[in-house]
Amino acid sequence: MAGNSLGKTKKFDRNLYDRSDNKSKNVISKYLRSKNHIITNVKEKFSCDIESISEDGTLCFSETEIKYSWKGEWPDSWKDVRIPYRKQRLINKIEKNLTFYVLRADCKEAWVITDISLKKYADIIEMPNRYVPEGEKFFCTPVDKIHKVVLDNSN
């Protein structure tokens, strides 16, 4: 567990990163291309995962994360989607046109949370979890304020 100005955070997990990073970026890049985005950057640079240009010429930024505990249908008891508060650094750095994609374990669906939705609807709540049992801060965005998309995770 690491501590910083954002509070307690999950320690970087190289194995989880190696398991998830390319897979989630590939699936969301494919989704963005299906929406007529031109992918301009997916290289690791300690910023967002994907940079793209939309059909109208807007520079867009995407951050991807696989939620391995989400299997099958989204449980009715899960009333919000949680983005680690440590992602605040991206919001501060990018300021606009940032979208978070939280993918199901099989990468067949994802919640889409724009920076606007996050700022407007998310509560910042400290929550214990399997990585930080004493509690880590999360942006908790109600599922009725965001939407899911179906993804093509084939190669």
Side-chain angles (χ1 to χ4, degrees), residues 76-133:
D76 290 337
S77 62
W78 294 1
K79 301 297 184 192
D80 55 35
V81 178
R82 298 172 186 164
I83 304 290
Y85 186 68
R86 67 182 177 272
K87 300 295 182 172
Q88 179 68 45
R89 67 178 171 71
L90 290 177
I91 296 165
N92 292 344
K93 182 177 183 178
I94 294 172
E95 295 182 7
K96 65 180 183 174
N97 302 326
L98 173 62
T99 302
F100 293 90
Y101 293 90
V102 178
L103 290 82
R104 191 167 76 185
D106 63 7
C107 296
K108 291 184 178 182
E109 286 187 308
W111 285 104
V112 180
I113 307 170
T114 64
D115 55 346
I116 295 167
S117 295
L118 197 71
K119 291 172 187 173
K120 188 172 183 178
Y121 300 116
D123 289 321
I124 299 167
I125 300 173
E126 186 176 308
M127 309 199 79
N129 59 77
R130 77 173 113 187
Y131 300 109
V132 185

Side-chain angles (χ1 to χ4, degrees), residues 1 6 20 23 34-35 48 50 52 113 125 134 140 150:
M1 174 175 51
L6 300 176
S20 305
K23 182 176 183 179
S34 79
K35 301 297 180 189
C48 67
I50 304 166
S52 63
I113 307 170
I125 300 173
E134 297 169 15
C140 298
V150 175

Side-chain angles (χ1 to χ4, degrees), residues 9-66:
T9 60
K10 178 177 78 84
K11 184 180 175 199
F12 179 73
D13 182 335
R14 171 58 67 185
N15 290 332
L16 185 60
Y17 174 85
D18 289 344
R19 177 178 169 202
S20 305
D21 188 61
N22 282 333
K23 182 176 183 179
S24 64
K25 288 195 291 193
N26 288 339
V27 170
I28 296 303
S29 291
K30 187 173 187 176
Y31 170 76
L32 291 170
R33 283 192 298 274
S34 79
K35 301 297 180 189
N36 299 316
H37 279 239
I38 298 167
I39 306 302
T40 57
N41 196 346
V42 294
K43 292 182 179 154
E44 186 57 54
K45 58 198 169 314
F46 302 103
S47 183
C48 67
D49 291 321
I50 304 166
E51 292 179 12
S52 63
I53 299 173
S54 67
E55 193 170 34
D56 70 1
T58 302
L59 181 59
C60 300
F61 305 92
S62 300
E63 181 72 2
T64 65
E65 175 182 319
I66 298 174

